[in-house]
Amino acid sequence: MDAAVKILLSEIKYEVKFESWRREKITNDESRNVKGGDFKAVDYAYKDDRAEDWLVRQIQDAMDNVVGELRWCVDEKSRMQSDEIKDNPTEWEIVFHFSENWVGSMRKLKSNIHRYVCDYVLARWYRASGDVKMQQNYESYSQDSMEKAYEEARSEIVRLEPWRL
């Protein structure tokens, strides 16, 4: 059975921007309440071209990690755009090949891969910003998502002939 998972740059950007905005808003609210200071405007991350390139590189690294972890079931038809980073890729596609005994859910697999990529990028973003606690949190979240994706990919029913039991 062949199935594909497509990760879109626009979806990852949206989630990363929302999470970073939400975290910055919480920080701003806390500083306003504690210090009595003004609420400063929250700025979205990744507005310039260099930041966009950085984001694409982080997503590419995360997708390379996914392919490395699930190499046993990844088909060669997958489009991993290492060469196309100069051309501003907008999507990554991984084609999986599972046996007919696979009983996993493609929806769960895609969801876990998507969550892994988002958390991986956020961990790198917090590492770059110097927030070690948030970096560790998101690294932990990303590892959990990768483990769930691996377990989902390994969901198979073992069927043995009665004389082999």
Side-chain angles (χ1 to χ4, degrees):
M1 174 177 126
D2 287 342
V5 169
K6 191 177 287 190
I7 300 294
L8 301 177
L9 177 64
S10 58
E11 290 177 356
I12 302 295
K13 279 174 62 175
Y14 175 81
E15 287 205 30
V16 168
K17 286 180 180 182
F18 180 76
E19 281 295 317
S20 58
W21 170 81
R22 189 171 59 92
R23 176 69 186 152
E24 187 63 28
K25 183 169 179 359
I26 290 169
T27 303
N28 286 337
D29 285 344
E30 288 171 354
S31 66
R32 181 182 64 192
N33 292 336
V34 173
K35 298 176 188 170
D38 293 333
F39 181 79
K40 61 183 179 181
V42 176
D43 193 15
Y44 281 135
Y46 315 118
K47 279 190 174 178
D48 64 359
D49 291 338
R50 287 177 295 169
E52 181 85 14
D53 291 343
W54 179 89
L55 178 65
V56 170
R57 283 194 310 273
Q58 301 313 306
I59 296 171
Q60 183 66 46
D61 288 348
M63 292 302 289
D64 288 343
N65 292 342
V66 169
V67 169
E69 196 71 27
L70 302 175
R71 173 57 65 195
W72 56 273
C73 63
V74 173
D75 198 317
E76 306 222 353
K77 299 175 199 168
S78 300
R79 290 184 306 149
M80 299 305 294
Q81 290 125 303
S82 299
D83 309 343
E84 300 176 24
I85 286 201
K86 297 174 207 159
D87 301 333
N88 295 326
T90 58
E91 64 186 41
W92 289 259
E93 184 176 71
I94 303 175
V95 179
F96 294 100
H97 180 73
F98 297 112
S99 72
E100 65 270 357
N101 296 333
W102 188 67
V103 294
S105 165
M106 279 309 295
R107 179 174 282 178
K108 286 182 184 177
L109 183 62
K110 187 211 186 286
S111 174
N112 288 321
I113 291 172
H114 177 84
R115 190 75 258 148
Y116 168 77
V117 172
C118 288
D119 291 342
Y120 179 90
V121 171
L122 284 164
R124 296 298 171 256
W125 186 74
Y126 283 115
R127 184 173 99 182
S129 68
D131 191 341
V132 177
K133 183 179 179 225
M134 290 303 292
Q135 173 198 349
Q136 291 170 343
N137 287 346
Y138 279 103
E139 282 176 351
S140 174
Y141 302 154
S142 69
Q143 284 304 91
D144 290 345
S145 296
M146 178 61 83
E147 288 171 12
K148 287 177 184 175
Y150 186 84
E151 289 171 11
E152 193 63 35
R154 284 285 186 196
S155 298
E156 289 189 9
I157 294 176
V158 178
R159 295 186 180 142
L160 295 175
E161 295 83 10
W163 59 87
R164 296 203 179 185
L165 294 175

